[in-house]
Amino acid sequence: MKGSRCLHQLKSLRLLSHAGRLLPPAAAGDNGTLFRPRSSSQLGGLQCAQREVLRHFHSSPACTKGQPARFVQEEDKTRDKSLVTHDDLFEQVAKEAKTKATFNKVIDVYTKGDIRRRGHVEFIYAALKKMPEFGVEKDLTVYNKLLDVFPKEVFVPRNFIQRMFNHYPRQQECGVQVLEQMENYGIMPNIETKVLLVQIFGEKTHPMRKYQRIMYWFPKFKHVNPFPIPEQLPEDPVDLARFSLTRMANEWDAKVTVYQLPCTDVTESGAEVTLPHIVGIQSPGQMEALAKHNPDRPVFVEGPFPLWMRKTCVYYYVLRADPTPPEEKIEEPYDPERCFSYPLQLDLDLDRDLGDDESFDVEDLDEGPVFAMCMTSQGDQATLNQWISGLQESNPILGQIPTLFRLGAGPRELQGVGDADSASRSWFPSHVQREEAHPGEEAEAVVEEAEAVVEEAEAVVEEAEAVVEEAEAVVEEEPRRSQGVKQ
Amino acid sequence: MMNMNRLIVFSRTFRIGQRLLGCHARHAGKEELRLQQRRSIKTHSRHLAYAKDLFLGQVNKAEVFPYPEIGNDELEEIKQLVAPVEKFFSDDVDSAKIDREATIPPETLQGLKDLGLFGIMIPEEYGGLGLSNTIYARLNEIIALDGSIAVTLAAHQAIGLKGILIAGNEAQKQKYLPKLASGEHIAAFCLTEPGSGSDAASIQTRATLSEDGKHYLINGSKIWISNGGMADIMTVFARTEVEVDGVKKDKISAFIVERAFGGITSGKPEDKLGIRGSNTCELSFDNVPVPVENVIGEIGGGFKIAMNILNSGRFSMGSSCAGMIKKLIELTSEYATTRKQFNKSLSEFGMIQEKFAMMALNAFVMESMAYLTAGMMDRPGIPDCSLEAAMVKVFSSEGGWICVSEALQVLGGLGYTKNYPFERFVRDCRILPIFEGTNEILRMYIALTGMQYAGKILTGKIKEMKKGNIGLAIGMVSKKLRASLGASVDLGLTGKDGVVHPSLEDSAKKLEQNVSLFGSTVESLLYRYGKTIVDEQLVLKRVADVLIHIYAMTAVLSRASRSISIGLRNHDHEVLLANTFCNDAFFKNNYWMVQLQKHSPENNDANIKKIAKQVLENRAYICSHPLERTY
């Protein structure tokens, strides 16, 4: 309905422009206000106003009277040296403030400045490039405004030959680029965009096709992610940890426990102590698996592992064990006296027919169970030990199982480096070590090869309460959440 | 017999064919095996309950034809018993009040005791009425008119004291049965626990031998115990430590526990949807001392006892539901014939007529199944009728639910009010598919028991086929070909040695066709799934449904044939009902069996599983709301 109404408006607009055929086509788009004086000029009345308008046509600066002088000068300069790019225009404004308002102002200046819209393709390209700088790259209205810069009606093919060949290819290409950038930022065009495109390029042109493709795919892809991340992540680290952990565990019954809220304490000696937050998650299934774990085999606290949430990276730690060796696996024997009502197994010597075996041949890789996960702002052993003792309340068996800490360096080396590459690799201990070699990083927190740590730790198989004081293995630095840049 | 002969003739022709094909050498070694198989079929087909043989595509007609009859003296007994019970239920039982106040008044209970209804099946030497299963079923038709009383009595004698009756020793019987029979003591059956329904492994209640070795101390809690609040004697199942081959193991044992032993507390009665007058509550046992002589059977043998009790109590539900539906027909037909709309009485409208026909059909089928099963159980020896009993229970509980709901529908808005008893019947009836083993579990039992039986016999044959035995394959193909060319199946129900009355011949033919197709369906299912069929619940459900309907067809044919033969009043109506039901069931069975074929387009199972999986993963209905967003 809405679309047809718009198209109807468009038609009436066309009729209007037919009336003013003699006008330069560029003017037709301007709501038809411009050619009214013109027609009146033919009647020979209101000469004064008419002259002004006419002058307006010939020399655009006249209309910029109301604008700040600076812009006018800008405009002049640009026109004087017509080869100067429109980037300058934006850069001039950028000195003041980079906001949506100023960006719009630049567009306004341009559109009002030159009625013929000379160099509008270059202007639009320049504007597209500057959009992220002004923070308007996700604003649909700005895109529409930008499209509005195109003169209307001019590029619409009028006969089949024009339609057959690429009519005004540069302009069409530019229009496609605008849509392309919208696509890249995930902005869905609206009906206004469509009306503009029809006005500018006409139906069945490249930009229109592009628009149609976007409208075909976007609604389908927009909600395709079954695990959507909200646009705005929670600010509070505890809330963020809670959100990330539930997202990773993705189990309904998994329970998030806040073992410690972040707080700042002042000790008796007057020193300020910041307690990190510790948030953990565990599901009933994991508790059950942990309860069945052979207490002779150690469990490991490992981490930090990165988790990207849009442009934020958080780190988590896991409590896991090595896979049970095959000789320790006990299969529960079938108990014929298990079910009161019906046989749970048939005593038959017949297997499933191959033709009805619909299972895939998947190679099983036993990775070992993960019993729990946690997030904390401080990944040192003391803090993680606090987590383990918290876990022990609901999993008493942890008191009997030796717990080993296999901690990599915190995420701190990302801070200075800031390249996404090291961020993505940092969780490999060996890589961490290599990154550590950077001068200026705390070299004393060098982490040995993971195997070495394990060996060392296994040599010191202690009670869970005992803290493993392996300086190499422990990273005392407070790991801060880094703001990596997603490429 | 005919069949057997034909089989032999056929196998001979195959042998010739094989010789021609040059497979002789390969085949010779299996000659002996095949002979063995044939012999085993012969020996097994006798002395077996009826339903299991259906899985082999055989009709063991001696088991179900003619329809079981009772002796004349028993008939007299029934006449004497039924009249006073009927009178009591119509005059002295106020079901609406029982439902409203959620309790059975003591004078009503006393009346039931005086009628001897607390000891219907307890032998006379222990003070009971000592009646057969058939008469028990007959009495249940009347008792079922009040759901609360029916459940109270069933919990008492169908499960509560059954343990003592079937597995108790003489001393236990002498001590407990007389008082239970008179109703002085009321019994309860304590198996279900918060964490355990059918799963014996999760029973937590534990019985430990005291130091002096004279007592077991029972600790734990049981839930949803019918009569739990008023029972004096309880059959309690608990875990005990038993030494098997030198290894200590936990096994279930059954105990007779008196409330007087102390340490038993019962919780608040549950507030239920229906059967509100019956008492259901939680029982907790805190160090209850039970003397060792109160162990039922032997220690560690509780599992078998529990299974036997549960399996034996179910058959009577068929007659109960039939009794209820017969009552409903009386109640609603009066309304339907007097109420006028558009100058026509309701009874002239086709859709109302359909409801009455359906109720009559259901009542007839349930009755037939229930008394056929009861009759089979009353035969000398210990026939295993658990499969048949389970089928009666599933069929009647589901049919009962539909009938009650349709009866209410006839009255429309009136039926929905408390002014009429229909809403109470609907509520009471809802428990039937749930208790005494849910229908889902019973379907598993029905299908798997049969599959196990058929699998044992067919394993050799299927293995041969899988190895590529050409003779067998040709046999299969030719059998299928003959069936598809419309060769009629003859299992001997009609014709020269026929047992079905000629006016039911068409229906009998349909039954034979169904049975034969069922046999080959079972065979192909075993071929396809082998022992993994346990995990194919949707397949098993259909197998059970087909079997239930085949059994129901058998029951109505058997009953109607007898009715014609001895000239019972309105036997033409029975013939009509039987033919209608058989026709209906025949098409239903065919449809289900087509669904059971491989690559059947009628079969939606894969999709159904997928839908359920996605819904359950999200624990919600996952479609976006149609109004959620625009384009």
Side-chain angles (χ1 to χ4, degrees), chain A residues 43-87:
Chain A
L43 293 172
L46 296 163
Q47 286 290 329
C48 188
Q50 175 208 355
R51 200 166 297 142
E52 225 179 58
V53 172
L54 277 176
R55 200 180 300 137
H56 182 107
F57 267 78
H58 292 292
S59 53
S60 44
C63 85
T64 57
K65 262 177 201 163
Q67 302 295 327
R70 199 177 64 241
F71 287 122
V72 180
Q73 282 163 8
E74 270 303 320
E75 270 293 298
D76 284 341
K77 236 189 266 168
T78 328
R79 221 163 0 89
D80 290 345
K81 326 171 250 172
S82 60
L83 287 176
V84 170
T85 57
H86 293 278
D87 288 5

Side-chain angles (χ1 to χ4, degrees), chain B residues 8-39:
Chain B
I8 293 163
V9 171
F10 265 41
S11 61
R12 240 176 239 154
T13 39
F14 300 147
R15 239 171 271 158
I16 296 163
Q18 272 160 7
R19 241 169 247 156
L20 289 174
L21 285 163
C23 301
H24 181 64
R26 197 179 145 204
H27 185 66
K30 278 136 198 168
E31 202 71 68
E32 199 186 354
L33 186 107
R34 176 177 292 202
L35 268 174
Q36 250 178 11
Q37 266 173 45
R38 205 176 299 141
R39 205 174 302 134

Side-chain angles (χ1 to χ4, degrees), chain B residues 421-434:
Chain B
F422 298 100
E423 58 87 29
R424 178 167 50 81
F425 274 111
V426 168
R427 283 187 286 112
D428 286 355
C429 208
R430 192 61 189 82
I431 191 64
L432 299 180
I434 300 171

Side-chain angles (χ1 to χ4, degrees), chain A residues 113-134:
Chain A
D114 180 1
I115 205 65
R116 288 186 188 81
R117 311 263 169 96
R118 261 188 223 119
H120 62 264
V121 172
E122 288 78 8
F123 174 78
I124 289 170
Y125 277 129
L128 281 179
K129 223 164 79 188
K130 292 286 172 191
M131 279 178 92
E133 254 177 59
F134 283 76

Side-chain angles (χ1 to χ4, degrees), chain B residues 81-82 84-86 88-89 93 108-122 127-129 131 135-136 138-140 142-144 149-150 152-158 161 180-183:
Chain B
L81 264 169
V82 167
V85 175
E86 242 166 11
F88 177 76
F89 268 82
V93 175
T108 310
L109 276 179
Q110 192 52 49
L112 294 169
K113 287 172 189 172
D114 294 344
L115 285 164
L117 295 180
F118 275 76
I120 303 178
M121 290 174 80
I122 297 176
L129 297 178
L131 299 175
I135 304 183
Y136 177 67
R138 175 70 186 95
L139 287 176
N140 257 307
I142 311 161
I143 295 171
I149 292 177
T152 305
L153 287 179
H156 170 74
Q157 57 193 338
L161 58 81
L180 287 169
S182 67

Side-chain angles (χ1 to χ4, degrees), chain A residues 256-318:
Chain A
V256 176
T257 317
V258 180
Y259 294 100
Q260 187 173 286
L261 281 166
C263 59
T264 317
D265 260 353
V266 182
T267 56
E268 281 168 22
S269 56
E272 209 169 81
V273 178
T274 312
L275 291 174
H277 68 270
I278 309 173
V279 184
I281 193 167
Q282 197 182 29
S283 70
Q286 286 174 316
M287 282 169 84
E288 210 174 290
L290 184 54
K292 282 185 189 153
H293 183 77
N294 180 2
D296 296 338
R297 308 192 144 271
V299 290
F300 306 104
V301 176
E302 287 182 0
F305 303 114
L307 171 72
W308 284 100
M309 312 280 283
R310 287 194 191 272
K311 290 183 173 180
T312 316
C313 187
V314 288
Y315 292 86
Y316 64 95
Y317 299 82
V318 298

Side-chain angles (χ1 to χ4, degrees), chain A residues 314-328:
Chain A
V314 288
Y315 292 86
Y316 64 95
Y317 299 82
V318 298
L319 177 71
R320 59 168 286 262
D322 282 335
T324 350
E327 66 270 13
E328 269 187 38

Side-chain angles (χ1 to χ4, degrees), chain B residues 46-118:
Chain B
R46 299 303 313 163
H47 316 301
L48 253 173
Y50 173 74
K52 281 183 182 173
D53 271 353
L54 291 173
F55 279 84
L56 299 170
Q58 295 168 357
V59 172
N60 197 348
K61 60 182 178 182
E63 290 280 341
V64 285
F65 290 98
Y67 198 71
E69 285 185 329
I70 51 172
N72 275 329
D73 44 342
E74 257 189 303
L75 205 63
E76 277 306 308
E77 215 166 2
I78 287 185
K79 278 186 184 149
Q80 278 173 16
L81 264 169
V82 167
V85 175
E86 242 166 11
K87 186 169 174 297
F88 177 76
F89 268 82
S90 63
D91 297 349
D92 297 340
V93 175
D94 185 353
S95 295
K97 190 176 160 218
I98 292 177
D99 182 66
R100 199 169 52 242
E101 292 176 2
T103 174
I104 303 171
E107 59 271 19
T108 310
L109 276 179
Q110 192 52 49
L112 294 169
K113 287 172 189 172
D114 294 344
L115 285 164
L117 295 180
F118 275 76

